[in-house]
Amino acid sequence: MDNRRKYPRNEERSEDVPVYSRLFVVCDRNVKEETLRDEFSKFGTIEDLRIPLDHNTGEPKGIAFIKFSKTSEAANALESMHGKTLRSRQLKVLVAANRSDIQTDEVDNDKYRRLFLHIAKEMNEDCVKEYFQQFGSVEDVLVQRDRNTGAPRGFAYVKFRKFSEAAVAFEQCDRRYRAIFASPKGQRRPETAFESNINSLVAGNSIMSMMNVRPKGFTRLHFMCSPYLLEMHIARLFNIIPGMVNCKLVFDIVRNFSKGFVEYSNPICAQYALQQLNEFEYPPGQRIFVKPASLNFGQHEENSFNLPSTVNKLKDAINSTQNSQTPDLAKLAEAIAEASKIIKMATAGVADDNIPDAGDLNYCSVALPTPQPLADIDAPVAKRCFLICKPQPPPLTVLRDIFCRFGNLINVYTLPNKTVGYARYSTIESADMAIKTLHGAEICGIRIKVIEAEEEVPNKRPRFD
């Protein structure tokens, strides 16, 4: 009785590690443990071998469980020993079923030959097959794709001709594939304790209830942040709040800060992100301003990103003056003037069309004439310039300030959501001078091409008979 209690029943043990490494063998009742061990140890290391006994008679039942150290060892033993005659009886060798498995007599069952993989999204079926052919004969590869876009989702199935080939691939393929044996079609794999806890949280909306906010209907937020942050940094920050679906960051080279938008899947998450991240310091010392997309930022929020550099410049100027026998008074005066300007802007505000000094090479890489008055808006167009700006057009206030310097500018504009635009002049000489001076120049760090545009086609008027 004690010998029978020594081992747990098959249906009571937990899943084997590694998976599919235990075999169920139907054999002759008189076969000894030593005989089975001698026959099966040829294929690998046997960790456990058990011959169950009948509870009533104490005689062997004619079955055995053999546990190998590797899945590939069990697979080779199964393929070699299944159907082989031992002690005048043909052996029947199967993979032993765990509690969550369904026992099957099919040695070539797909569940022993198919692997589920995590792959890079740029990989296709040919790439997967080319890699996994080194482990055996690949019969089929299926890359899961998005139903709407057709783009790979980063998951794939690969099916081998034999169980042993799939087992070798399972053990030896690169760890980045995170290979596991795929569940048979139509059969759900058992849910782990971790997945069960996560699903119960989602089902009960526990995460949402913990946010404890009153949503106001918006799901889209606008933000302003330090110019030194990348989109990757901002996306990771906002993704701390569950439900983020999109994030976009652009750099405003004129005002020297970054701005963008972030969108959430529901108003609760958006409101919580607004409450938690508005005026949050990231990186330390520089605040992030967050507002619903329907509201605009104030001037003091835009000016806040100039303060650190201005303060450091003023501090450096003061230190150099104190530590030098011949202080640079011009540098100190410039730093004080810039600090005074920031203080004035923070208290009184500035106009939106505040334009940098035209002599600054960061503003325009070529020398510019002085600003000229605009031509009459109804003046006839003598010549147009075609503008190409990459990666995006400068602000219209900047374009107007630059193109008006050649005189007789009627107007300048860019096409919505495009990188091209037009400058219209009332004289050919002014347009030619703009093309000659600005073609290939950099405006606010943006490369611009200026070429002659086709003649403007007048609007057709409807004909009345």
Side-chain angles (χ1 to χ4, degrees):
M1 181 64 70
D2 292 337
N3 186 44
R4 292 198 298 267
R5 292 290 185 183
K6 184 177 180 180
Y7 301 100
R9 295 178 60 187
N10 179 47
E11 64 270 20
E12 291 176 349
R13 58 183 171 81
S14 59
E15 295 191 4
D16 292 314
V17 179
V19 66
Y20 301 153
S21 59
R22 187 183 298 269
L23 298 180
F24 174 74
V25 182
V26 179
C27 56
D28 186 85
R29 292 178 182 269
N30 297 319
V31 171
K32 303 297 182 181
E33 179 178 325
E34 292 76 13
T35 303
L36 289 175
R37 188 177 295 274
D38 290 342
E39 292 292 333
F40 281 87
S41 62
K42 304 172 185 177
F43 305 100
T45 302
I46 296 178
E47 295 183 340
D48 180 38
L49 193 156
R50 180 168 65 91
I51 300 177
L53 304 179
D54 186 279
H55 286 267
N56 297 320
T57 65
E59 297 294 326
K61 289 184 176 181
I63 59 174
F65 292 95
I66 304 176
K67 172 69 172 66
F68 285 89
S69 63
K70 293 183 178 180
T71 304
S72 57
E73 296 171 349
N76 288 326
L78 183 150
E79 292 169 358
S80 299
M81 299 299 292
H82 180 70
K84 183 178 179 180
T85 301
L86 184 65
R87 289 292 183 96
S88 70
R89 176 164 179 172
Q90 194 176 53
L91 297 179
K92 188 174 185 179
V93 184
L94 306 170
V95 177
N98 293 309
R99 294 186 62 185
S100 57
D101 284 342
I102 299 175
Q103 181 68 59
T104 175
D105 292 344
E106 298 180 19
V107 178
D108 294 330
N109 192 295
D110 280 359
K111 78 174 183 178
Y112 305 128
R113 298 188 294 139
R114 290 174 72 238
L115 297 179
F116 177 73
L117 314 171
H118 290 75
I119 63 172
K121 290 190 176 181
E122 58 268 17
M123 291 186 70
N124 56 23
E125 285 83 353
D126 293 337
C127 296
V128 176
K129 185 174 182 179
E130 182 180 356
Y131 176 80
F132 280 89
Q133 276 180 337
Q134 64 181 302
F135 305 111
S137 178
V138 176
E139 289 189 348
D140 184 44
V141 175
L142 175 64
V143 174
Q144 291 189 330
R145 299 180 182 275
D146 188 277
R147 293 183 180 179
N148 298 323
T149 65
R153 296 175 56 194
F155 306 105
Y157 292 91
V158 57
K159 180 179 177 182
F160 288 90
R161 184 173 60 88
K162 297 193 301 181
F163 173 30
S164 58
E165 296 170 341
V168 172
F170 166 70
E171 293 169 352
Q172 299 182 10
C173 73
D174 196 299
R175 294 183 63 181
R176 71 175 184 270
Y177 291 106
R178 288 184 276 173
I180 60 173
F181 282 91
S183 300
K185 297 178 181 178
Q187 177 183 339
R188 292 177 60 91
R189 64 177 176 83
E191 190 178 70
T192 65
F194 175 78
E195 292 171 327
S196 177
N197 292 336
I198 290 296
N199 290 337
S200 64
L201 278 175
V202 174
N205 291 323
S206 300
I207 296 177
M208 296 293 186
S209 61
M210 290 171 62
M211 292 183 181
N212 193 26
V213 295
R214 292 184 179 180
K216 297 184 179 179
F218 58 84
T219 59
R220 189 182 180 102
L221 300 171
H222 284 178
F223 62 84
M224 294 170 54
C225 63
S226 166
Y228 304 108
L229 292 177
L230 302 178
E231 185 173 298
M232 172 185 65
H233 302 143
I234 286 293
R236 287 181 177 178
L237 176 66
F238 280 95
N239 200 33
I240 294 175
I241 311 298
M244 192 195 80
V245 295
N246 195 12
C247 180
K248 185 68 176 177
L249 177 74
V250 295
F251 174 54
D252 191 327
I253 196 167
V254 175
R255 294 182 172 88
N256 193 36
F257 60 78
S258 293
K259 58 186 178 181
F261 72 87
V262 61
E263 193 161 356
Y264 286 90
S265 59
N266 59 81
I268 296 178
C269 295
Q271 180 67 38
Y272 189 71
L274 172 64
Q275 177 178 308
Q276 296 297 319
L277 297 180
N278 185 36
E279 299 196 11
F280 177 73
E281 289 194 3
Y282 181 66
Q286 299 211 23
R287 291 180 294 175
I288 294 177
F289 297 100
V290 185
K291 287 193 175 182
S294 58
L295 300 179
N296 296 323
F297 290 101
Q299 192 66 42
H300 72 283
E301 293 163 335
E302 295 186 6
N303 294 335
S304 66
F305 297 104
N306 293 325
L307 288 175
S309 61
T310 303
V311 170
N312 291 334
K313 187 181 295 185
L314 180 59
K315 184 186 299 182
D316 293 341
I318 294 174
N319 291 336
S320 63
T321 302
Q322 292 175 342
N323 299 329
S324 175
Q325 295 180 353
T326 58
D328 189 348
L329 298 180
K331 182 178 179 181
L332 177 61
E334 181 184 352
I336 294 175
E338 186 173 344
S340 301
K341 181 180 177 181
I342 293 295
I343 295 172
K344 181 179 178 181
M345 290 167 60
T347 55
V350 295
D352 280 342
D353 58 351
N354 182 35
I355 301 299
D357 181 11
D360 186 356
L361 292 180
N362 291 326
Y363 180 55
C364 186
S365 61
V366 297
L368 296 173
T370 57
Q372 302 292 327
L374 297 176
D376 191 284
I377 191 64
D378 294 323
V381 178
K383 195 170 188 178
R384 294 193 306 164
C385 302
F386 182 64
L387 319 179
I388 305 173
C389 312
K390 292 295 181 69
Q392 60 188 14
L396 279 179
T397 51
V398 172
L399 291 176
R400 188 183 304 116
D401 173 71
I402 288 179
F403 280 88
C404 79
R405 294 171 182 265
F406 305 96
N408 304 299
L409 176 69
I410 300 174
N411 66 342
V412 59
Y413 61 93
T414 56
L415 303 182
N417 301 320
K418 302 291 183 180
T419 59
V420 298
Y422 293 91
R424 303 163 75 237
Y425 287 93
S426 61
T427 65
I428 296 176
E429 293 77 15
S430 296
D432 289 341
M433 183 60 69
I435 293 173
K436 181 180 178 181
T437 305
L438 297 177
H439 181 65
E442 284 191 5
I443 300 174
C444 297
I446 298 171
R447 191 82 169 183
I448 184 170
K449 294 182 180 180
V450 185
I451 58 178
E452 183 178 348
E454 296 179 356
E455 187 176 348
E456 191 170 18
V457 179
N459 294 330
K460 294 183 178 180
R461 296 184 178 179
R463 179 177 177 181
F464 300 97
D465 294 330

